[in-house]
Amino acid sequence: MHSPTLILLAALLTALVTTVLYAVWSFNKNIPGLRLWVLSFLLGSVFSVSLLVRDWVPQVVAVVISQSAVSLAAYLCLMASRMYMGRRPFSHIYAVVGIGVVVASSVYFTVVQPHLGMRFVFAGLGAGVCFLLTAHTLADGGARRVPARYLFAMVVGLHGLFLLLRPVLFKLGAVAPGGLPDASLASRVSQFVVLESIVAVVLLGFGALILANEFITSELRHLAEVDPLTNVFNRRAFLTLLDKAISAAQRTKTDVPVLVMDLDHFKNINDTWGHGAGDDVLRHFVMLAHRCLRKEDVMGRLGGEEFAIFLPNASAGGALAVAERLRALVETQPAVTGQRPIPLTVSVGVTLCAHADSAGAALKRADEAMYLAKERGRNRVEVSEQPGGAPAAPVATAA
């Protein structure tokens, strides 16, 4: 195929991908890194256009524009991937120096000592390294859990590797004086390079869209499973996770301790200090609870000021210790809102979810124990009967 036709096709496809990504970004501006991917593809369009008009502008100008565009596009792709993954950006000084070296070297091998092969070496070096770093950044989180990232990483990594190895293609034939390869070979290599660029543009564009979809899906799942005020699981998600924990415990023939807790006199807090202060109190309580829990422990908000926790791989004694530690911590750590401390206490019910037990049944027993703590004076821990009517071991709880 005629090389200018391939370049024109590459320019049109790059512009199309840029337009699609911009449309997605304009409706989802909270997707991290997407704006930088839009700018990256836009610079790819500039690079394609610079190749189309290179016969009508001075050669050195065309080289500066094309090398700057492709290097900056690769760097923005790297920055977009780091932003998407929540990592700190590199210092832009490195990019300025690196792109400056690439452009200056390309100008040198264009004006001072013309050598097409060396121009390809420097052009591929900067962009190739950036694309390989992009692949390394995105290949994180587990291929089964986030396959889209690994597919994108594979495509961008192969493209970066091709850019680094591309100069080798010009060593396959006889080289004329001045470092220029044989004309027929150069034409075939150029066509292959443009074809690879077309495929890479399409695949990278789809990759960016897949990552955008991954982020949106994750956000929707978060909204469906997490309480927006306290950032712990909502009731439905908590019960689903508890059911899974019970199934796992049944296979190992162990129990799952379940705690249900309710903040004492929370209505009075709302009536006295306002609902804004009540929200601060709830967030404060969750913060204190996390200080008492392990990474594998799961907390959920059942509704209002009522919360629940289950403790995988914990004993009854360990669950009681956690409940008492949480009760004491809440009592001694008042919430501070509007520069005024608000004293808090919590009532806790504890039960064991045993073999063939259900999440709903265990939660009901823990809830009954929590109400028993309320009846006995609040600011205490009570334990429910075990399944089958066996009484739980007594525990000393004090207000």
Side-chain angles (χ1 to χ4, degrees), residues 122-184:
F122 279 96
L125 182 63
V129 169
C130 283
F131 284 130
L132 288 178
L133 289 174
T134 300
H136 180 266
T137 301
L138 289 172
D140 187 30
R144 290 189 177 183
R145 192 172 70 86
V146 282
R149 298 180 192 176
Y150 285 81
L151 289 173
F152 191 99
M154 181 182 68
V155 171
V156 74
L158 289 175
H159 182 55
L161 190 62
F162 176 82
L163 292 179
L164 291 176
L165 299 178
R166 185 175 59 181
V168 178
L169 297 175
F170 289 94
K171 301 294 183 180
L172 299 178
V175 179
L180 295 175
D182 177 77
S184 60

Side-chain angles (χ1 to χ4, degrees), residues 14-331:
T14 309
L16 178 61
V17 171
T18 304
T19 303
V20 172
L21 289 177
Y22 177 79
V24 174
W25 173 77
S26 64
F27 289 103
N28 302 274
K29 294 185 179 181
N30 62 323
I31 299 177
L34 186 57
R35 182 177 67 90
L36 294 182
W37 270 311
V38 172
L39 294 176
S40 176
F41 278 94
L42 179 61
L43 287 168
S45 300
V46 172
F47 170 71
S48 300
V49 172
S50 71
L51 295 181
L52 288 173
V53 302
R54 60 185 173 181
D55 293 334
W56 292 276
V57 297
Q59 186 181 28
V60 66
V61 175
V63 167
V64 169
I65 294 176
S66 62
Q67 302 290 41
S68 299
V70 72
S71 298
L72 190 54
Y75 176 70
L76 288 178
C77 185
L78 173 59
M79 290 297 98
S81 69
R82 293 187 66 84
M83 184 177 293
Y84 183 86
M85 298 298 292
R87 299 184 182 178
R88 294 175 57 187
F90 294 120
S91 172
H92 296 318
I93 295 177
Y94 298 112
V96 171
V97 173
I99 295 174
V101 169
V102 168
V103 174
S105 301
S106 299
V107 170
Y108 176 83
F109 287 111
T110 300
V111 178
V112 180
Q113 187 178 346
H115 198 295
L116 182 60
M118 290 303 297
R119 290 213 321 254
F120 271 99
V121 168
F122 279 96
L125 182 63
V129 169
C130 283
F131 284 130
L132 288 178
L133 289 174
T134 300
H136 180 266
T137 301
L138 289 172
D140 187 30
R144 290 189 177 183
R145 192 172 70 86
V146 282
R149 298 180 192 176
Y150 285 81
L151 289 173
F152 191 99
M154 181 182 68
V155 171
V156 74
L158 289 175
H159 182 55
L161 190 62
F162 176 82
L163 292 179
L164 291 176
L165 299 178
R166 185 175 59 181
V168 178
L169 297 175
F170 289 94
K171 301 294 183 180
L172 299 178
V175 179
L180 295 175
D182 177 77
S184 60
L185 177 62
S187 176
R188 292 194 297 272
V189 170
S190 297
Q191 291 177 1
F192 178 72
V193 168
V194 176
L195 280 173
E196 189 277 338
S197 298
I198 291 174
V199 173
V201 164
V202 173
L203 293 180
L204 291 177
F206 276 116
L209 290 174
I210 290 174
L211 289 184
N213 179 71
E214 176 191 271
F215 179 83
I216 293 173
T217 302
S218 177
E219 286 290 289
L220 290 175
R221 185 182 300 114
H222 181 83
L223 290 174
E225 296 179 349
V226 176
D227 173 57
L229 176 63
T230 59
N231 206 34
V232 297
F233 290 107
N234 58 29
R235 184 185 185 91
R236 186 175 68 173
F238 179 83
L239 287 172
T240 299
L241 293 173
L242 180 55
D243 274 326
K244 293 181 179 179
I246 293 172
S247 298
Q250 287 174 349
R251 290 193 294 270
T252 58
K253 298 182 178 180
T254 57
D255 299 330
V256 180
V258 178
L259 286 63
V260 170
M261 59 221 74
D262 188 274
L263 293 178
D264 298 326
H265 304 296
F266 184 74
K267 184 178 183 301
N268 291 341
I269 294 176
N270 276 335
D271 293 341
T272 304
W273 306 95
H275 289 280
D279 292 345
D280 292 338
V281 166
L282 293 175
R283 285 189 288 262
H284 174 76
F285 171 73
V286 169
M287 181 270 295
L288 294 179
H290 281 309
R291 288 167 56 179
C292 301
L293 302 179
R294 305 163 300 172
K295 289 184 178 180
E296 61 266 36
D297 299 333
V298 178
M299 184 175 187
R301 185 183 181 191
L302 303 182
E305 68 276 18
E306 189 173 358
F307 295 84
I309 297 171
F310 69 83
L311 311 170
N313 303 313
S315 64
L320 292 173
V322 169
E324 180 59 28
R325 186 163 64 247
L326 175 57
R327 185 204 64 78
L329 188 62
V330 171
E331 184 182 22

